[in-house]
Structure formats: structure tokens, C-alpha cells
């Protein structure tokens, strides 16, 4: 991910930028604007000028699949920007510093690109964004921004199917079609 972000440097003019991983679908509650979580995180950036990493609460048995936000003794709540103490990559449940998983939405200052240029290849012999974020945390700070949106990992079959069903169930016509399909086939 670090190398991919670095490839976009020539498109930026010393400006902050967002990274949105396409294999993660965020679905805010229907009562809110469809981009509520992301626009709220942009608001947190505008208010603080500090890089933001969106996080979600996950169960302890799934925590080892994610990068995890370490908030120290601070508490997080939805749509609040909270200073990070660190990031822990895929900890075991007993070693997890929280149940706040990084979910692939970032707003970062341009300075992180300079950090990426000097980041040595890490896991998988690749430049890791997390390594540059650790350096950014030491220099300028970094905040976690919690969402309560539905989060779907479309990088696997279950998440992809769940995302499609969740979006489909929001459309009245499609909802009827989905229900009819399930009733007809009664797997």
C-alpha cells in the first residue's frame, strides 16, 4: 500500500490527500447522508490538521485480521477524532491494544509521502504505509476516527456478497427481488 500511495505523489501539489481502499465498502445508516462517515472524517481533518485513520469496532476473535489502533487510556466514540498512541499490525487477541480495527480510509498530510520515500521495504519486501504512519505519528501525531457504519470487506466472497445484499436491500424494488429469489429457492 505504501508504494501504491507513493505512485500518486506526482498528482499532489503539497496538499493533504485521502486514501480509500476499494475492497472496503462503508454503508452509513440510511437516516444519514450516504457519505456521512467520510465527510465527518474530512471535517475532523479540517478542524485538527492532523492525519485521520478511520477505525471500526470488531470482535476480539477477528482482531488478528486487522491493523489495530492503540489509543492508550483514551476512549473512542463514533465520529470523534482521538489521538493515536500507535498502530499494531494484526495482533493476537490477547496482545490487542483495543478492538478498533483500521478499515482502509485515511486522510493524510503531504508530508507522509516524504516519509514513504525513505521507508525501507518491510513485510513482503514491500513499502508499507503503516511503517510511514508510525513515523508520522512521532513527528506530527495521527488520530483515529471511529465510524459506526456497516463495513464490508469485499476482498472475500462473504464480504462481497454481504455488501451487495445490504445495498440491494436498501432499494425497494431490489429488496422485493431478493426476497422473492430466496423464497423461490429456499436453500
Amino acid at each position: 500500500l505504501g508504494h501504491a500511495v507513493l505512485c500518486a505523489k506526482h498528482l499532489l501539489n503539497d496538499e493533504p490527500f485521502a486514501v480509500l481502499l476499494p475492497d472496503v465498502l462503508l454503508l452509513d445508516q440510511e437516516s444519514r447522508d450516504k457519505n456521512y462517515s467520510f465527510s465527518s472524517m474530512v471535517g475532523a481533518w479540517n478542524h485538527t490538521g492532523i492525519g485521520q485513520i478511520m477505525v471500526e469496532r470488531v470482535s476480539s476473535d477477528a482482531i488478528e485480521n486487522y491493523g489495530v489502533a492503540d489509543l492508550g487510556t483514551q476512549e473512542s466514540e463514533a465520529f470523534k477524532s482521538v489521538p493515536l498512541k500507535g498502530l499494531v499490525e494484526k495482533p493476537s487477541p490477547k496482545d490487542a491494544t483495543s478492538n478498533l480495527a483500521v478499515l482502509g480510509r485515511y486522510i493524510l498530510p503531504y508530508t507522509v509521502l516524504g516519509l514513504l520515500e525513505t521507508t525501507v521495504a518491510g513485510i513482503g519486501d514491500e513499502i508499507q504505509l503503516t511503517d510511514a504512519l508510525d513515523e508520522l505519528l512521532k513527528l506530527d501525531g495521527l488520530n483515529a476516527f471511529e465510524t459506526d457504519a456497516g463495513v464490508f470487506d469485499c476482498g472475500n466472497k462473504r464480504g462481497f456478497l454481504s455488501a451487495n445484499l445490504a445495498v440491494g436491500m436498501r432499494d425497494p424494488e431490489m429488496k422485493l427481488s431478493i426476497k422473492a429469489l430466496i423464497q423461490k429457492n429456499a436453500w
Side-chain angles (χ1 to χ4, degrees), residues 86-102:
L87 295 166
V88 181
E89 191 61 35
K90 299 181 180 178
S92 68
K94 67 179 179 67
D95 295 327
T97 53
S98 75
N99 67 338
L100 296 170
V102 175

Side-chain angles (χ1 to χ4, degrees), residues 11-168:
L11 300 171
L12 303 168
N13 297 317
D14 197 22
E15 299 172 313
F17 60 96
V19 176
L20 293 86
L21 299 184
D23 62 342
V24 176
L25 174 73
L26 255 64
L27 199 54
D28 276 298
Q29 296 176 14
E30 287 186 78
S31 61
R32 297 183 184 139
D33 176 70
K34 65 181 176 180
N35 294 315
Y36 184 80
S37 290
F38 187 73
S39 61
S40 296
M41 188 169 74
V42 170
W45 161 266
N46 289 335
H47 180 72
T48 65
I50 295 174
Q52 305 289 319
I53 299 176
M54 193 175 288
V55 297
E56 67 165 324
R57 291 194 182 274
V58 298
S59 64
S60 60
D61 61 328
I63 203 74
E64 64 192 359
N65 299 314
Y66 300 95
V68 176
D70 179 358
L71 304 181
T73 59
Q74 291 223 351
E75 292 293 322
S76 176
E77 62 182 88
F79 310 111
K80 300 291 182 201
S81 180
V82 180
L84 276 167
K85 299 293 182 210
L87 295 166
V88 181
E89 191 61 35
K90 299 181 180 178
S92 68
K94 67 179 179 67
D95 295 327
T97 53
S98 75
N99 67 338
L100 296 170
V102 175
L103 63 84
R105 299 289 186 273
Y106 309 83
I107 299 176
L108 300 171
Y110 187 81
T111 56
V112 79
L113 295 168
L115 297 172
L116 281 168
E117 289 178 323
T118 60
T119 299
V120 295
I123 296 171
D125 201 31
E126 298 174 347
I127 299 170
Q128 299 295 326
L129 180 60
T130 302
D131 294 340
L133 294 178
D134 284 338
E135 291 303 310
L136 180 64
L137 182 60
K138 295 173 196 169
L139 294 173
D140 298 332
L142 198 54
N143 287 3
F145 185 88
E146 184 180 345
T147 182
D148 67 358
V151 179
F152 301 90
D153 177 359
C154 297
N156 64 65
K157 288 185 250 184
R158 180 183 302 238
F160 181 73
L161 178 60
S162 297
N164 280 279
L165 287 171
V167 170

